[in-house]
């Protein structure tokens, strides 16, 4: 595990909590079998997030090649006031966004990204405080349609917080 820019621990009434700003703090967990290809046959990433502002990207989780810059496998993040999912396929990435205004500063949200990489026709379901955001209900927009073969993330580190480089392919 690697900490960058020193996210810090605070005591809460429930347990110690690691605080990030999502913009320049990073926790990297070296790849191991328990976090390889979590989207195969369906998987979910979830977090409790709070934002102070809605500018720029706030990375919640990502899987990124620890050696090659801009080699992102997938990411779950906040973009402005939207919650977003990014999944890399061999030819074209898939990206999905909730509506503008989904996230507002100053409060905490429980967010999830549920996805199955079985086919390019699959779309994620993003939950925000228990409300499903899907293509079918009109609360999720596909901004880039995936194509090709889903790329394995078996050699990628799991990252919590900012990506390891300053540029982003998203």
């Amino acid at each position: 595990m690697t900490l960058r820019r020193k996210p810090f621990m605070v005591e809460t009434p429930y347990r110690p909590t690691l605080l990030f700003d999502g913009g320049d703090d990073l926790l990297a967990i070296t790849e191991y079998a328990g976090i390889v290809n979590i989207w195969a046959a369906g998987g979910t990433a979830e977090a409790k997030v709070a934002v102070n502002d809605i500018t720029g990207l706030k990375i919640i989780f990502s899987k990124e090649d620890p050696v090659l810059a801009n080699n992102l496998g997938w990411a779950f993040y906040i973009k402005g006031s939207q919650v977003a999912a990014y999944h890399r396929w061999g030819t074209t990435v898939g990206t999905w966004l909730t509506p503008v205004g989904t996230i507002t500063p100053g409060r905490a949200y429980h967010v999830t990204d549920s996805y199955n990489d079985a086919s390019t026709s699959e779309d994620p379901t993003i939950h925000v405080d228990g409300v499903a955001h899907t293509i079918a209900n009109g609360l999720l927009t596909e901004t880039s349609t995936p194509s090709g073969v889903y790329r394995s993330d078996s050699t990628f580190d799991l990252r919590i917080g900012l990506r390891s480089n300053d540029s982003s392919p998203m």
Side-chain angles (χ1 to χ4, degrees), residues 12-135:
T12 68
Y14 308 104
R15 63 185 149 287
T17 302
L18 191 58
L19 293 182
F20 292 85
D21 66 12
D24 62 4
D25 298 331
L26 170 70
L27 174 66
I29 301 169
T30 305
E31 186 57 49
Y32 72 96
I35 56 174
V36 171
N37 296 319
I38 67 165
W39 310 112
T44 299
E46 68 178 298
K48 185 84 165 189
V49 297
V51 296
N52 294 327
D53 66 72
I54 54 172
T55 59
L57 295 177
K58 311 275 192 249
I59 305 300
I60 302 168
F61 299 112
S62 66
K63 285 291 284 282
E64 178 182 353
D65 189 311
V67 177
L68 299 173
N70 289 322
N71 195 12
L72 185 65
W74 59 266
F76 184 40
Y77 59 102
I78 296 170
K79 180 180 182 180
S81 64
Q82 300 168 283
V83 180
Y86 171 106
H87 294 276
R88 177 163 290 216
W89 287 73
T91 307
T92 309
V93 302
T95 54
W96 297 266
L97 291 167
T98 63
V100 170
T102 300
I103 298 291
T104 58
R107 65 170 290 232
Y109 296 88
H110 178 247
V111 294
T112 68
D113 175 12
S114 297
Y115 187 64
N116 184 338
D117 68 6
S119 163
T120 56
S121 65
E122 299 283 345
D123 294 309
T125 296
I126 295 175
H127 283 87
V128 180
D129 286 343
V131 175
H133 291 72
T134 66
I135 298 292

